[in-house]
Amino acid sequence: MAPALLLVSAALASFILAFSTGVEFVRFTSLRPLLGGISETGGPGELEGERINWIARQGWMDVLHDHSVLASLARNLGLLLLFVGQHSLMATETVKAWMSRYFGVLQRSLYVACTALALQVYYHVLGLGEPLALKSPRALRLFSHLRHPVCVELLTVLWVVPTMGTDRLLLALLLTLYLGLAHGLDQQDLRYLRTQLQRKLHLLSRPQEGEAE
């Protein structure tokens, strides 16, 4: 009974997290702060519905007459279609069958490489450069010492099994040793992590714009 309750709790927590993330995404992409000075944090009862609709229509009319905004929207739409098109086209059964016939087990690797190439086009068009170049030297130093969190999942898959054969044991031992030796955080890395945590806690504790003090 206890394991079942634990699974239900984990599933419910996962659903709440996914749902809240979607709600936050909708709030973040809301057009209301862009249309005629409507405050995003204001309540829905602050203005009558007719007033809100009128300001929204005026905002869209201004946007449609601004060539710089239209050019930016067209560029962003092109980048989005490039990414979505690459994902959708290479995910079709026809393309996957063709890639598997000519590239074999490298089919998935080629798919990931094309996805990375599409993202590189996005970064190049926006002038962002190499993503890691935007990170501070302290963050890059931490990345060189820190393994990806998915390694915990890998270790779980390797060790949490009903039976352990000799080959499986050897594989688990070698990969565990490799991950353990590669995880070499020092005091400088820990100070950097502590600084980042304190900065994020400080930002979260500040009242948001429009909230009462």
Side-chain angles (χ1 to χ4, degrees):
M1 185 65 179
L5 291 177
L6 182 61
L7 289 176
V8 171
S9 301
L12 181 61
S14 178
F15 169 78
I16 294 175
L17 177 61
F19 183 79
S20 60
T21 302
V23 171
E24 176 62 19
F25 177 75
V26 172
R27 187 202 66 81
F28 178 76
T29 57
S30 174
L31 290 174
R32 293 189 64 202
L34 305 177
L35 303 180
I38 300 178
S39 174
E40 185 181 12
T41 57
E46 292 184 359
L47 294 174
E48 293 82 6
E50 293 80 6
R51 173 68 175 167
I52 294 176
N53 292 332
W54 181 83
I55 295 177
R57 287 195 298 271
Q58 291 299 113
W60 278 114
M61 290 174 61
D62 293 338
V63 168
L64 293 177
H65 287 86
D66 192 332
H67 295 289
S68 61
V69 173
L70 292 177
S72 298
L73 289 175
R75 182 183 62 180
N76 292 337
L77 179 60
L79 293 173
L80 180 61
L81 291 177
L82 172 65
F83 184 79
V84 173
Q86 177 267 323
H87 264 63
S88 300
L89 179 63
M90 297 190 69
T92 60
E93 294 298 329
T94 303
V95 175
K96 287 195 295 185
W98 180 85
M99 292 176 60
S100 298
R101 183 176 14 172
Y102 289 99
F103 298 99
V105 294
L106 297 178
Q107 177 262 338
R108 187 64 184 178
S109 299
L110 184 60
Y111 175 84
V112 175
C114 291
T115 301
L117 181 61
L119 292 177
Q120 285 295 328
V121 172
Y122 168 80
Y123 271 84
H124 176 73
V125 170
L126 297 185
L128 299 178
E130 177 65 30
L132 288 180
L134 304 176
K135 300 295 182 180
S136 66
R138 298 177 66 187
L140 294 176
R141 185 180 188 275
L142 174 67
F143 293 160
S144 66
H145 295 167
L146 185 64
R147 286 295 177 185
H148 196 280
V150 77
C151 294
V152 177
E153 178 183 356
L154 174 61
L155 292 178
T156 303
V157 171
L158 289 174
W159 289 102
V160 182
V161 290
T163 58
M164 180 75 73
T166 305
D167 53 348
R168 179 62 173 263
L169 177 61
L170 179 61
L171 177 65
L173 287 174
L174 290 178
L175 290 180
T176 302
L177 182 62
Y178 168 70
L179 295 176
L181 293 177
H183 193 287
L185 298 183
D186 54 19
Q187 291 298 321
Q188 185 174 344
D189 293 324
L190 294 177
R191 285 195 298 269
Y192 171 74
L193 290 174
R194 187 180 299 112
T195 301
Q196 294 300 312
L197 176 60
Q198 292 173 353
R199 181 179 303 175
K200 287 179 172 58
L201 292 176
H202 175 69
L203 292 175
L204 291 175
S205 63
R206 288 185 349 188
Q208 297 183 2
E209 183 180 355
E211 290 185 352
E213 297 291 341

